[in-house]
């Protein structure tokens, strides 16, 4: 078997059971009683209608899934098609919707446990009275979250067994029901209004199919198996729901369901009546398995959604850190777990079910819109194996019915959902927009046809575009003498990446002085005119390169350490700073801060020992490694900007091997036109010799922690002080940010 | 035994594991003039939902390999990387060793915890027990001197 086959190990049955397993737990084991009491004989219609709406969206989800079999499913498609504003809505709705649904499943789980064990109605915990169902639900949720936190590959496979078992139990149940069914038993219908309201509540039974798409990348032959699993699971559960509902309403006396005591579970009592105690036990057991497997699959699916959101920087990628021992996305699972526990503690069965329904209906509506956008914009790489029949009617109907069903859900829940959507929109503008760089197909489509499109659409599209894609080179300035040189270096990097320069002047303010006071009385702390002049010069210099530039004066009690904070605050992709003398205040005092930064660098760093900016002849020593890659990039930027002659230097034991390595290394980094120089012997001596007739030496940090050693004066490369040209030290970013380390 | 460290498969579970293992093992490989095949095994459920998505695990493997490539570049050791999918971590390591014609598998035991081992499986034990080529356990370097005298080797039947 190839690696690909091993990575994609979900066969058609496994994919189907993810959908069926997530859906069946909720629907049939918890909700029939409510449905029958509220809608009468139309309860069956409610389930059929819910299935119909789900099916329309399942078709769209299948097409999108075969075109983009990526982790994250629905969120990914919406974000990809409609852009990160809607992506933010879909991601949050999907994540929270799954948490609400899981809380609801756990309520069901609590009812089943209560029914088996027999418990008092409520417990008194200090000042609180907690119903026993809630208590078991909380314990159950904690258990399933813990299992997934630690991770057990067995749970995944267990799901298949559970689902097959459930379908078998329910099949037997419906056969018995059919034998006893009499139309005379059917309760009267309660009319269309209650039927639609009921559909809104029971729609939580149809959330599972979209979870299949969130593991689409793991499905074998997704072009074939994904649509089968998605559509098949909706059809299968719809049929099962309808048959069970028919059995429950037609096989027992009309008043039977309504006459049950509060702690009795309708489906279990009916089974007891039809099949005796064994039947009741089977259904009890089934209910336990079903609610548990639904919750389990939902927790796993939500970590995929978190991952996809983090990859697009809609949430912080640190949420998706993998546990070093368990290999699980433990933070994501823990946060989802806390949400589930909070929702159980705060909610009621009905509120949780309808919250889960509404949030998913929003996603389903957006999914259909995403499909229409993909079809209309028709990007070159959009090539689905499965196509929605009767386009555009199917997705339009899917969108309308999904959004319309929301209207029949209670106003409080709608208000809460609207608040969550508004929250997601705010989240996009306040948090995600400056970080994400992914532009939706819709935005690209509208903006690329700006002339033909209505002005309102164009301005709306450009108004919500992400700006995280902007490559930002932060250049802190202190010394007017080196300003032009630093800006020249920074501008070359910015230009090569289509980005901008952010010039900062950091003014140190004594600890005892309030920063607000300092801002109003800037002259007391620095020569304000000089500061202004420094930034103005920087602006002119950068503009000479045709690079956009912004300037900021930053007041801080610290000076050196502030450089790193400011770089982080200004979303730096690269930090260009001077070194030596008094470039940035007294480094000695800032060592601890640098310690913090140097362990993990959230951006690339270039440190220039400035002996005059002359990039005409550059020497770049290399032994491979990511920092030298950054050095290579810098050499390339300068070559492209200034036509620099680049000399690559490699020190090897064996000259021939060294030459082979260097030639390949250079070719991979678009530096094949550089002069290759392979030396043997002492590295530092070789660098010194090569640098003798160069104007600039670009050195990748050979080890991590360059910055720390630079500041503490323990940098081993004495050669940097010996050479006479300017030296640029390059240290590549490492993914963890300061925030991530605080959380970790 | 001179060939033992010619081409060594190093399985890495995490970035920290990669740092510790590289610190402990690379000096020996440098001495032996050997090369490294860095392996990260992605444990698959084999037909169920995995504990983390494949794309997510692949991204994690990249992070680990960055650490390893860095360390190998610093030490001047040639390094190949391989992501392996397997339902059992130890099996995956040995599959990779065979595919890459490795001379041995080397690792540093991680801090053990019997309860955790029971819960999530003891990969150290599986590695040694399921061996079909030499498995070398290197002592951890805890920040200071490299203990050069304390090599534990466990040998299984050679595979080819």
């Amino acid at each position: 078997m190839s690696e690909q086959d091993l990575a994609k190990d979900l066969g058609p049955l496994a994919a189907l059971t993810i959908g069926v397993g997530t859906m069946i737990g909720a629907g049939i084991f918890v909700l029939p009683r409510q449905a029958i009491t509220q809608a009468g004989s139309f309860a069956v219609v409610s389930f059929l209608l819910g299935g119909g709406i789900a099916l329309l969206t399942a078709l769209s989800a299948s097409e999108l899934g075969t075109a983009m079999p990526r982790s994250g499913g629905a969120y990914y498609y919406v974000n990809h098609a409609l852009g990160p504003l809607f992506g933010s809505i879909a991601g949050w709705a999907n994540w929270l919707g799954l948490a609400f649904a899981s809380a609801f499943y756990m309520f069901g789980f609590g009812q089943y446990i209560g029914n088996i064990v027999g418990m008092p109605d409520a417990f008194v915990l200090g000042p609180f009275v907690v119903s026993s169902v809630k208590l078991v639900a909380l314990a159950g949720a904690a258990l399933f979250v813990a299992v997934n936190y630690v991770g057990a590959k067995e749970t995944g496979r267990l799901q298949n067994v559970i689902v097959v078992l459930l379908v078998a139990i329910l099949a037997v149940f419906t056969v018995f029901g059919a034998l006893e069914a009499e139309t005379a038993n059917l309760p009267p219908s309660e009319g269309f209004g209650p039927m639609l309201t009921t559909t809104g509540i029971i729609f939580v039974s149809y959330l599972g199919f979209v979870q299949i798409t969130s593991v689409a990348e793991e499905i074998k032959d997704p072009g074939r198996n994904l649509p089968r699993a998605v559509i098949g699971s909706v059809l299968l559960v719809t049929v099962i729901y309808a048959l069970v509902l028919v059995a429950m309403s037609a096989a027992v006396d009309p008043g039977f369901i309504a006459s049950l005591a509060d702690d009795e579970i309708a489906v279990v009592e009916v089974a007891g009546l039809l099949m005796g105690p064994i039947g009741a036990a089977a259904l009890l057991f089934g209910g336990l398995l079903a609610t548990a497997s639904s919750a389990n699959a939902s927790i796993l699916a939500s970590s995929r959604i978190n991952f996809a959101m983090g990859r697009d920087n809609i949430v912080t990628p640190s949420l998706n850190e993998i546990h070093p021992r368990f290999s699980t996305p433990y933070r994501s699972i823990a946060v989802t777990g806390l949400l589930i526990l909070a929702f159980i503690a705060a909610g009621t069965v009905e509120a949780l079910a309808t919250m889960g329904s509404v949030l998913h209906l929003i996603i389903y509506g957006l999914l259909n819109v995403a499909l229409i956008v993909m079809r209309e914009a028709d990007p070159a790489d959009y090539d689905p194996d499965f196509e929605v029949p009767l386009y555009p009617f199917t997705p339009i109907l899917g969108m309308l019915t999904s959004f319309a069903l929301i209207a029949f859900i209670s106003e409080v829940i709608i208000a809460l959902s609207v608040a969550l959507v508004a929250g997601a929109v705010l989240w996009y503008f306040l948090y995600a927009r400056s970080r994400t760089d992914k532009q939706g197909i819709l935005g690209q489509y509208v903006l690329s046809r700006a002339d033909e499109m209505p002005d309102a659409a164009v301005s709306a599209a450009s108004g919500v575009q992400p700006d995280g894609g902007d490559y930002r080179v932060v250049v802190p300035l202190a010394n007017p003498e080196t300003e032009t040189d630093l800006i020249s270096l920074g501008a070359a990097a910015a230009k090569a990446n289509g980005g901008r320069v952010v010039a900062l002047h950091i003014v140190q303010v004594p600890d005892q002085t309030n920063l607000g006071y300092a801002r109003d009385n800037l002259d007391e702390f620095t020569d304000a005119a000089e500061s202004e002049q420094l930034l103005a010069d920087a602006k002119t210099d950068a503009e000479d390169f045709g690079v956009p530039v912004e300037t900021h004066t930053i007041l801080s009690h610290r000076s050196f350490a502030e450089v790193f904070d400011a770089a982080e605050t200004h979303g730096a992709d690269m930090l260009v700073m001077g070194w030596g003398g008094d470039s940035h205040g007294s480094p000695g005092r800032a060592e601890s801060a640098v310690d913090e930064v140097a362990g993990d660098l959230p951006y690339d760093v270039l440190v220039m020992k400035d002996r005059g900016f002359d990039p005409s002849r550059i020497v770049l020593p290399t032994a491979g490694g990511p920092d030298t890659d950054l050095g290579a990039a810098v050499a390339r930027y300068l070559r492209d900007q200034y036509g620099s002659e680049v000399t690559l230097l490699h020190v090897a034991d064996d000259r021939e091997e060294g030459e082979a390595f260097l030639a390949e290394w250079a070719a991979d980094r678009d530096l094949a036109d550089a002069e290759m120089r392979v030396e043997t012997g002492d590295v530092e001596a070789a660098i010194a010799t090569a640098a003798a007739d160069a104007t600039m030496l670009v050195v990748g940090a050979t080890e991590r922690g360059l910055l720390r050693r630079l500041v503490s004066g323990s940098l081993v490369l004495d050669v940097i002080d010996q050479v006479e040209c300017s030296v640029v030290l390059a240290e590549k970013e490492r993914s963890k940010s300061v925030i991530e380390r605080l959380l970790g | 035994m001179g060939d033992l460290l010619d081409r060594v498969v190093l399985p890495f579970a995490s970035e920290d594991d990669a740092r510790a293992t590289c610190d402990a093992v690379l000096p020996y490989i440098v001495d032996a003039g050997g090369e490294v095949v860095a392996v990260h095994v992605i444990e698959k459920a084999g037909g169920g939902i995995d504990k983390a998505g494949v794309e997510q695990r692949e991204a994690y493997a990249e992070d680990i390999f960055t650490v390893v490539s860095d360390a190998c570049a610093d030490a001047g050791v040639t390094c190949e990387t391989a992501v392996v999918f397997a339902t059992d971590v130890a099996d995956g390591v040995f599959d990779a060793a065979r595919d890459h014609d490795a001379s041995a598998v080397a690792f540093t035991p991680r801090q053990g915890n019997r309860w955790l081992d029971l819960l999530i499986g003891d990969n150290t034990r599986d590695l040694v027990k399921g061996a079909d080529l030499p498995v070398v356990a290197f002592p951890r370097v805890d920040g200071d001197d490299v203990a050069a005298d304390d090599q534990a080797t466990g040998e299984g039947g050679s595979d080819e």
Side-chain angles (χ1 to χ4, degrees), chain B residues 5 8 21 23 25 33 46 68 72 76-77 102 108 135 140:
Chain B
L5 297 183
V8 184
T21 305
D23 283 352
V25 181
V68 179
C72 287
V77 171
T108 55
V135 175
R140 299 212 127 196

Side-chain angles (χ1 to χ4, degrees), chain A residues 278-370:
Chain A
I278 298 176
L283 266 287
L284 259 182
F285 179 62
L288 267 188
L289 290 182
T291 46
S293 82
S294 292
N296 201 54
S298 303
I299 294 170
L300 285 168
S302 66
S303 77
R304 264 52 164 196
I305 294 156
N306 280 168
F307 167 69
M309 290 169 81
R311 179 169 55 191
D312 295 330
N313 286 310
I314 297 281
V315 296
T316 166
S318 68
L319 182 64
N320 298 314
E321 182 139 314
I322 299 270
H323 193 283
R325 263 207 106 88
F326 306 144
S327 302
T328 54
Y330 64 108
R331 288 181 187 162
S332 157
I333 287 177
V335 174
T336 305
L338 290 177
L339 288 173
I340 295 172
L341 290 176
F343 294 159
I344 294 175
T348 62
V349 176
E350 190 162 324
L352 294 173
T354 41
M355 279 307 291
S357 289
V358 174
L359 291 175
H360 275 83
L361 284 166
I362 292 171
I363 300 162
Y364 292 176
L366 290 175
L367 259 185
N368 286 299
V369 178

Side-chain angles (χ1 to χ4, degrees), chain B:
Chain B
M1 289 293 281
D3 309 327
L4 185 64
L5 297 183
D6 264 1
R7 196 169 162 77
V8 184
V9 160
L10 296 180
F12 299 109
S14 67
E15 287 177 72
D16 288 340
D17 184 31
R19 276 184 209 101
T21 305
C22 285
D23 283 352
V25 181
L26 286 182
Y28 295 92
I29 296 180
V30 171
D31 285 349
E35 52 190 35
V36 164
V37 181
V39 171
H40 179 65
V41 181
I42 297 180
E43 192 180 21
K44 294 290 295 175
I49 317 182
D50 294 321
K51 44 197 183 181
V54 165
E55 285 178 33
Q56 184 167 12
R57 293 295 301 273
E58 285 173 339
Y60 186 55
E62 280 304 309
D63 292 344
I64 294 173
F65 290 155
T66 305
V67 173
V68 179
S69 310
D70 263 10
C72 287
D74 287 350
V77 171
T78 312
C79 171
E80 281 175 38
T81 60
V83 176
V84 178
F85 296 94
T87 50
D88 180 273
V89 174
D91 288 351
V93 171
F94 290 115
D95 286 349
R98 274 188 295 277
D99 290 349
H100 289 84
D101 286 328
S103 55
V105 173
F107 70 106
T108 55
R110 293 198 281 173
Q111 288 299 314
N113 174 324
R114 276 165 193 264
W115 284 107
L116 277 184
D117 286 345
L118 262 183
L119 210 56
I120 61 177
D122 181 356
N123 288 327
T124 303
R125 186 173 165 277
D126 292 349
L127 264 185
V128 177
K129 286 232 163 178
D132 56 5
L133 79 170
V135 175
V136 190
F138 285 93
R140 299 212 127 196
V141 186
D142 290 320
D144 36 46
D145 301 349
V146 179
D149 51 347
D150 190 11
Q151 275 193 41
T153 56
E155 243 174 287
S158 192
D159 162 57
E160 277 147 319

